[in-house]
Structures are given as structure tokens and as C-alpha cells.
Amino acid sequence: MTTPGSDSGALSFPPGFIWGAATAAYQIEGAANADGRGPSIWDTFCRLPGRVRRGDTGDVACDAYHRYREDVALMSALGLGAYRFSVSWPRVQPGGSGPVNQKGLDYYRALVDELAEHGIDPVVTLYHWDLPQELQDSGGWAARSTAQRFAEYARLVADALGAGVRRWITLNEPQVVVDHGYRSGEHAPGLRDDAGATAASHHLLLGHGLATQALRSVLPAGAEIGITLDMHPVRVPADAQSDSLERARVATHAELNGIYLGPVLYGRYPEHARPVLLPQPPVVAAGDMATISQPIEFLGVNYYSPVYLRSGDPDDLRRHEEPARCELPGVVEYRPTGLKRTAMGWLVDAAGLYELLLQLSADAPGLALYVTENGCAAEDYIDPSGAINDVERVTYLHEHLAAAARAIKDGANLAGYFVWSLLDNFEWAWGYQRRFGIIFVDYETQRRIPKSSATFYGQVVRANALPPLPS
Ligand code: FCB
């Protein structure tokens, strides 16, 4: 018997499985003022004192705007079949509406052409958090008009790139946009506005639906459209189950995952979330839920960590405990001491990925799943021989790929995997203080150095199978 997520020799992936790496525009491109790019909410947020570690910004980042050829060559050397990148809305439409910036579109055309020359399929994310500042000034995602603007922008990008791009992702992690951007304020636009947050949830989803329609109206047959959600399995230890924990599990799942998954898959908000989190009329207008739930070809899943629940007193927290976000009495979230944590402090739990993929395949039979992000931050350094031996990341990837392979064998409809991230990059509020890349970036020189995890990942990709973990 093997435990899901545990290592037991070579595991293979189905023929045609898509192997890729992921990045996002603001995190890698730099060139913030080049060629007519407009300001985004992240340009603004980075300049607010104390919001981003060390006052870092994405002004230069990995300078991928100028160095994309080198990056594509690195991907090609690893044998990758796909590259998930995002289009910067303010680069191609600086004000978020109105005139297009041709030079911005030219950049993405050149990137798509470069990928094609290396046989790498582009996977385009239309919104990875860098809203044009002008749209924020008119209400951001709390305003319904932003959903309409997003669909117009989606259409203009599809008009420009549609011939060379088959797979399209509307939004990246709307849950994080709402929770970090509008509720806790940890991310741009840095607001703490519960009513605005709930409206933003709905308008993001509506934007997904309207953009999907806009994409379909211009893309050739065979295009695949989906959305990427951050998914968090909610776990209660087998020996600690009770009715109140089960209620908390259902509520936490509804609030974290269901508010986005439910509308997209089934056209309805979940029943068990707190009413304050659930969009209502007049924010929800007639016909919206049908727009949001129209068919998609795939679901993108970003998986990093699950949430663990146990009985406890939120007013008298013990070590490794936090108040439960669902706010039900007698329940706390906690971090099991047996699990490793990454440099972000995030729990490492590959079995969570296995369970998630099987659950999603049961909930949405026939819908293709891609893991559009998975990876970890580690304390990487260049050793005296010039190498970056990121053993923790190799182990992390190995465990999660083993879990993915087992999930496929047990019936999950997983069609591809994208490691987060190709490169070390600007990790939002952490600035450059956290490294997630399989390729190290020396920010002083912009030199790229593949880490041991890149070598390992290249082996997996070429073999379409997972070798035993190096000892
Ligand atoms: C995800 C984001 C991605 C990156 C990783 C670590 O939530 O989509 O941009 O920051 O976390």
C-alpha cells in the first residue's frame, strides 16, 4: 500500500501530458515605463510606505520584457512543452479602456512567436492582478463596469494573439484578489472594505463570464478557455471528527473555494458561507449566474497548502493555532507539527493535492484540470562551486508530482502541470525576499542560473515520468 503523495519508485504520466512553467507579468517583466505602458495598481501600491518588503517594486524585476528570448531558450533547454505567462493589461491598454498600445501588443506577439520557434505552447493569463490604475480610480473590481472593461480588453488581446495561442485563462486566483486586495489590504489596491470585497467577488466572476464570451466570439475553433482558482482542501484529522468540525469544514470550504467554484461550475453561490460574503442583488443582476457558468474547457488549479481545523478556543489560542476564518465557535485552524513548512511558512502537504484533484474530478466530471501553479519558496543561495542545490524544492516537487501521478492513476482528469515559477521574481508583498524559481535570478546582473530543481524538472519532463527521489 502506498500513501497518496508518498514516494515509491518511478511513476509515469499519460502520453500528451503538458509540462510547463508559470510566471506573471508584474512579477517578471520590469520595463514599467517602457513603450507606453500605463500604471497598474501594483505600481501604486509598491510606493505606499511599508506595504512591500524593503520598498521593492516591479519596475525592473527580471527584466523579462527585454530578456524573453533568453528565458525561452532556458525553457527549451529543459524540454518544456508549455509556458503560462500573463498579459499586462496596462501595457496593452494603458488606461484600462480606450486606445490600445500597439508596442505592448507587439511584445506579446514577439514572445508568442519566439515560443512557437521553440515548440513551446503559450498559455495566456489575462488577469494576474495588475489592474490599470485608472480603472481602480473608478472603483476597481468593486465597480460592475470593470467586468465590462475586462471583456473588452480580453477581446482585443484575443484579436491580436488568437492565431498563435490556443489556451486562455481569464483570471488568476480571484479569491486572493478579493481577500488580500479588498479585505486584509495586504495586496494592491490595499483596501479593507468588506462590502467592496463582496462586490468585487461577483464582478471578477462576471468579468470571467463576459471575457469568456468575448474570447469565444473571436478565437478560432479548438481554443480552450478556463479560469485559475487557488484551491485549498480543508482537512479535519480522522481521529478528531465531530459535527461541529464538519460544519466548520463545510463552511470554510464554501468560503475559500466554493464562492468561486460554485458560480463557475454550477451557476450558484454556495449555501454554507456567511451571508456577508455572498453577493446578493442588486450586485447580482438577472442573467449574471448564467453568464458566469457558461461552459469552459478546463479549470486551472493553483495548489500550495491546505487548511487544517480542530476543536479549540479562538480566544485562547495554543501554539500553531489561529482563529478559524469561518468564525464558528469552538473551532481553530492549526498547523500540524508533523508537516514541513516552506520559506513562506506554508504547510507542505502533497496528499492535499491528490485529494483535491480527485474531488474536483468527481465534482466536475469530464472537465480537464491543469495544475497551473505549484511550487515552493526556499532559502536558495549560490554555493562556492557556483551551483544552487535547492534540495527542499526538488523534494517538494517530487512529492507533489508523485501525488499528481497517483491522482491520475486513480481517475483524476489532470492534463498538465505548470511549476511556479520559471524564475525567481517579485513575490508581491514579499518583494524579492522570497524565491520560488527553478531558475535563480541574480537581480544585480540579471544573470539566470538554473537550480538543481530545474535539472530535476527537465528530467521529469523528458521522461514524462517521475524518477525515484535522488538520495
Ligand atoms: C500565487 C500567485 C503567484 C505567486 C504564488 C507564490 O498565489 O498566483 O503569483 O505569487 O502564489
Side-chain angles (χ1 to χ4, degrees):
M1 259 272 299
T2 54
T3 326
S6 74
D7 170 45
S8 76
L11 284 163
S12 59
F13 287 82
F17 192 77
I18 295 171
W19 291 104
T23 63
Y26 192 75
Q27 297 182 275
I28 65 160
E29 284 179 2
N33 299 309
D35 296 339
R37 177 185 177 277
S40 80
I41 54 174
W42 273 94
D43 296 285
T44 308
F45 185 73
C46 290
R47 283 164 178 81
L48 300 176
R51 298 303 188 98
V52 175
R53 303 276 152 128
R54 303 198 185 183
D56 288 345
T57 74
D59 285 1
V60 178
C62 311
D63 196 27
Y65 188 72
H66 299 111
R67 293 168 194 266
Y68 66 92
R69 286 193 190 83
E70 181 184 346
D71 296 336
V72 173
L74 286 164
M75 285 186 252
S76 175
L78 295 179
L80 300 192
Y83 177 41
R84 174 183 177 227
F85 61 92
S86 81
V87 170
S88 157
W89 187 348
R91 196 180 287 292
V92 303
Q93 194 184 34
S97 63
V100 167
N101 179 30
Q102 191 55 46
K103 287 192 172 164
L105 284 174
D106 290 348
Y107 164 68
Y108 294 107
R109 270 215 194 100
L111 172 59
V112 167
D113 288 349
E114 189 73 15
L115 289 165
E117 273 177 36
H118 288 81
I120 300 172
D121 275 347
V123 178
V124 167
T125 306
L126 286 164
Y127 186 72
H128 202 127
W129 305 356
D130 46 355
L131 191 75
Q133 181 60 42
E134 268 188 48
L135 291 185
Q136 191 62 46
D137 297 342
S138 31
W141 289 107
R144 189 175 173 95
S145 52
T146 299
Q148 196 60 52
R149 298 291 86 75
F150 180 60
E152 291 159 11
Y153 151 72
R155 189 188 168 127
L156 75 86
V157 179
D159 273 333
L161 305 181
V165 177
R166 173 151 164 235
R167 295 191 181 84
W168 296 79
I169 294 169
T170 53
L171 303 175
N172 180 69
E173 299 188 350
Q175 190 277 137
V176 175
V177 173
V178 171
D179 188 71
H180 290 34
Y182 289 78
R183 257 186 247 283
S184 73
E186 288 164 64
H187 280 184
L191 303 176
R192 288 173 173 230
D193 169 6
D194 284 341
T198 303
S201 314
H202 186 69
H203 297 142
L204 280 153
L205 288 163
L206 182 63
H208 156 75
L210 294 171
T212 301
Q213 289 173 341
L215 292 171
R216 290 244 188 267
S217 72
V218 292
L219 290 174
E224 294 182 18
I225 303 172
I227 183 171
T228 280
L229 303 179
D230 55 300
M231 300 294 304
H232 311 267
V234 184
R235 315 186 77 189
V236 175
D239 58 355
Q241 305 201 350
S242 67
D243 288 350
S244 66
L245 278 175
E246 179 55 14
R247 266 196 301 281
R249 192 191 64 75
V250 169
T252 309
H253 172 66
E255 294 184 1
L256 259 179
N257 306 315
I259 287 179
Y260 301 91
L261 203 54
V264 168
L265 295 185
Y266 312 120
R268 56 172 188 268
Y269 284 106
E271 279 171 30
H272 298 286
R274 277 166 290 158
V276 61
L277 302 181
L278 292 175
Q280 309 283 349
V283 168
V284 181
D288 284 3
M289 301 315 285
T291 304
I292 295 169
S293 60
Q294 70 198 273
I296 48 177
E297 279 73 32
F298 66 88
L299 179 69
V301 176
N302 289 358
Y303 176 72
Y304 292 96
S305 260
V307 170
Y308 275 82
L309 297 173
R310 72 180 175 199
S311 304
D313 180 355
D315 295 322
D316 186 15
L317 293 171
R318 287 183 284 162
R319 231 176 135 223
H320 305 302
E321 287 184 351
E322 284 168 46
R325 65 197 86 194
C326 67
E327 295 181 357
L328 286 172
V331 175
V332 294
E333 292 180 18
Y334 77 108
R335 283 171 291 175
T337 44
L339 292 180
K340 289 180 281 192
R341 298 188 211 165
T342 71
M344 298 292 280
W346 298 351
L347 290 170
V348 179
D349 186 353
L353 178 60
Y354 171 91
E355 285 174 20
L356 178 61
L357 293 172
L358 283 174
Q359 188 62 53
L360 286 169
S361 296
D363 290 350
L367 184 65
L369 304 175
Y370 295 112
V371 171
T372 41
E373 286 182 29
N374 174 241
C376 71
E379 304 286 345
D380 302 320
Y381 60 93
I382 308 181
D383 73 17
S385 73
I388 297 124
N389 191 11
D390 55 339
V391 196
E392 303 97 318
R393 187 171 291 103
V394 172
T395 307
Y396 180 99
L397 293 178
H398 196 281
E399 288 173 2
H400 286 78
L401 290 170
R406 291 202 177 90
I408 295 169
K409 287 205 165 51
D410 292 348
N413 201 9
L414 181 67
Y417 175 95
F418 295 75
V419 65
W420 184 272
S421 179
L422 178 69
L423 303 168
D424 292 336
N425 58 46
F426 174 81
E427 178 47 35
W428 310 113
W430 287 92
Y432 298 98
Q433 299 308 306
R434 289 292 179 272
R435 293 181 178 271
F436 273 90
I438 56 171
I439 296 175
F440 186 90
V441 176
D442 175 350
Y443 294 110
E444 296 288 306
T445 60
Q446 292 295 349
R447 195 168 150 224
R448 275 80 163 130
I449 311 172
K451 306 177 190 176
S452 298
S453 55
T455 311
F456 164 75
Y457 192 53
Q459 283 163 358
V460 174
V461 169
R462 285 179 199 289
N464 201 33
L466 193 59
L469 192 58
S471 49

